[in-house]
Amino acid sequence: MIPSVLPTYNRAPLNFVKGEGSWLIEADGRRFLDLGSGIAVNALGHAHPALVEALTSQAQNLWHVSNLYEIPQQQALADKLVAETFADTVFFTNSGTEACELAVKMARKYHFEKGTPEKVEIITFEGSFHGRSSAGIAAAGSEKMTKGFGPLLPGFVHLPWGDAQAVAATIDENTAAILVEPVQGEGGIRPMPDQDLKDLRALCDEHGILLILDEVQCGVGRTGKLFAHEWAGITPDIMMVAKGIGGGFPLGAVLATENAASGMTAGTHGSTYGGNPLGCAVGCAVMDHVAAPEFLAEVNRKAGLLRQKLEGLVASHPAVFEEVRGSGLMLGLKCKAVNAEVVKAGYAAEVITVPAADNVIRLLPALTISDADIDEAILRLEAAAAAVEAA
Ligand SMILES: *Cc1c(COP(=O)(O)O)cnc(C)c1O
């Protein structure tokens, strides 16, 4: 008999009832150190007082109002995002994959309005993840996500990760945009080298096509910059954001330049919940913390500390781990053992990590993790590695 919850997830037998900072408390009382943050969502940890305050005080006043009317919280969050980034304008969604939907629509509408409606194709990369909507799975293109779900949304070209020559050779009169994660998350924490991002930017400029960055996982302070592309010194035309921006409340956004967004006039796109007062009140509180230079400096300091300790962990467990990779507090341990076994051993040691493709385990701690909790994380990962070795 089919379970009452559609069985699309492989769930671990863990039932968390409370969160405090970097800690998750199981129904049986065990305290787990959370290095997953709900897959880079709880950027400020669990139950951050400023986010609790933002959500509950907004909840006392107004939960929902239609986008037929002014929403001051939405205006405030858009203003903050525009002030802190390349963007001139923002559309709010409830999730990352809805941001992908709009990014694709916006790029195609841009070329349509410019009088080049044949430009509809979007170049993407193997190992990508852009969510589970029809556009998201067509964009990523992996068999795992698309098999049985055809006909797929047409107009995506999939190239090998990091093959700049293949990109240059593929761009033609039908190309609309290049869509890429600056750091692949689900794909196994694979950062695109700065020079490759610069090359993609240059190719887009040369051919009059749009650069769309998916910063759903790597954005909002995760890599130690507010957005990961800042490390490469480039800017996109369109950027997808979600996960960390809501700190745990469902919130996403598409940021764009005035030029890239020029086709999106009144009536061309919309959302019932996107940009609702609750989500945007929380998003404002997240931005007030994460965009502060002192906060990002701390993320970078802690990232250095964690990475150095992880290098030691890898060196002392060569049968379990191969290498540390990633950027900031978006780190991956490429495993020699089976990654799922390492994650499972972590559960026994009461530390939460997240598997990814390419036999990697992901470490995406709260950006607010303390130095003491970093030390504790290493102790628990040591215990997990020792258990895998002994098995
Ligand atoms: C999680 C993720 C998405 C999809 O976000 P949802 O909120 O699950 O729809 C898209 N792109 C990237 C890079 C992601 O990590």
Side-chain angles (χ1 to χ4, degrees):
M1 199 172 68
I2 194 166
S4 58
V5 174
L6 190 73
T8 60
Y9 299 106
N10 267 320
R11 294 175 199 273
L14 293 168
N15 181 10
F16 298 115
V17 292
K18 193 174 168 58
E20 292 166 352
S22 291
W23 294 85
L24 279 169
I25 294 118
E26 224 273 349
D28 63 11
R30 282 179 298 162
R31 292 174 60 86
F32 287 72
L33 185 51
D34 183 9
L35 304 181
S37 305
I39 316 190
V41 167
N42 302 103
L44 298 185
H46 298 282
H48 190 287
L51 302 196
V52 173
E53 164 59 24
L55 183 67
T56 54
S57 66
Q58 183 59 44
Q60 305 288 337
N61 290 311
L62 184 62
W63 290 26
H64 172 77
V65 63
S66 169
N67 279 304
L68 293 169
Y69 313 105
E70 301 287 341
I71 302 179
Q73 297 79 11
Q74 186 182 128
Q75 182 65 53
L77 181 53
D79 289 345
K80 285 180 201 290
L81 288 165
V82 165
E84 296 290 345
T85 69
F86 73 95
D88 302 312
T89 189
V90 184
F91 182 92
F92 292 101
T93 67
N94 309 288
S95 68
T97 206
E98 286 168 85
C100 181
E101 295 291 320
L102 173 55
V104 168
K105 285 175 69 176
M106 186 183 282
R108 290 177 175 171
K109 188 72 157 47
Y110 168 84
H111 290 293
F112 179 85
E113 296 293 340
K114 296 273 169 192
T116 48
E118 69 281 6
K119 290 190 181 295
V120 296
E121 271 178 15
I122 298 176
I123 294 174
T124 66
F125 297 92
E126 285 163 11
S128 299
F129 185 75
H130 303 297
R132 299 297 194 127
S133 62
S134 289
I137 63 173
S142 74
E143 179 168 317
K144 187 178 153 217
M145 280 186 281
T146 59
K147 196 177 174 193
F149 294 116
L152 296 178
L153 184 67
F156 294 94
V157 185
H158 307 100
L159 298 182
W161 176 247
D163 190 340
Q165 274 179 342
V167 178
T170 301
I171 293 172
D172 63 18
E173 67 281 4
N174 297 318
T175 307
I178 300 171
L179 165 58
V180 62
E181 293 160 81
V183 185
Q184 279 192 345
E186 307 300 308
I189 310 291
R190 295 195 290 182
M192 178 158 277
D194 289 351
Q195 189 56 50
D196 290 356
L197 276 175
K198 287 185 178 139
D199 291 348
L200 292 183
R201 176 72 270 177
L203 281 169
C204 286
D205 291 341
E206 189 185 325
H207 295 278
I209 61 180
L210 301 175
L211 181 62
I212 307 173
L213 295 181
D214 181 345
E215 294 228 17
V216 168
Q217 195 161 148
C218 62
V220 195
R222 181 56 48 194
T223 68
K225 296 274 191 194
L226 185 55
F227 290 101
H229 65 263
E230 295 170 33
W231 288 111
I234 57 131
T235 58
D237 301 290
I238 300 173
M239 179 168 72
M240 298 154 50
V241 177
K243 294 201 165 96
I245 189 70
F249 195 93
L251 178 64
V254 174
L255 280 62
T257 63
E258 182 166 13
N259 181 44
S262 56
M264 303 305 296
T265 50
T268 56
H269 197 64
S271 168
T272 296
Y273 292 120
N276 68 78
L278 289 171
C280 289
V282 176
C284 282
V286 170
M287 277 296 287
D288 288 344
H289 282 79
V290 172
E294 319 82 73
F295 183 93
L296 292 169
E298 267 296 280
V299 171
N300 284 306
R301 185 187 64 77
K302 284 185 279 205
L305 190 66
L306 177 57
R307 186 163 190 137
Q308 183 200 342
K309 288 173 188 279
L310 289 172
E311 298 284 1
L313 173 80
V314 168
S316 56
H317 298 278
V320 180
F321 300 119
E322 206 171 300
E323 63 159 350
V324 187
R325 63 200 200 194
S327 176
L329 288 175
M330 184 173 185
L331 293 168
L333 296 175
K334 166 98 173 152
C335 296
K336 280 228 181 81
V338 177
N339 63 346
E341 295 301 320
V342 181
V343 170
K344 220 165 145 191
Y347 295 153
E350 297 172 12
V351 59
I352 303 288
T353 61
V354 183
D358 201 26
N359 205 31
V360 162
I361 67 169
R362 269 179 280 184
L363 310 181
L364 306 159
L367 304 181
T368 51
I369 191 171
S370 68
D371 289 15
D373 287 348
I374 288 175
D375 288 340
E376 187 62 34
I378 297 299
L379 290 177
R380 292 181 184 215
L381 290 170
E382 289 276 0
V388 170
E389 281 161 358

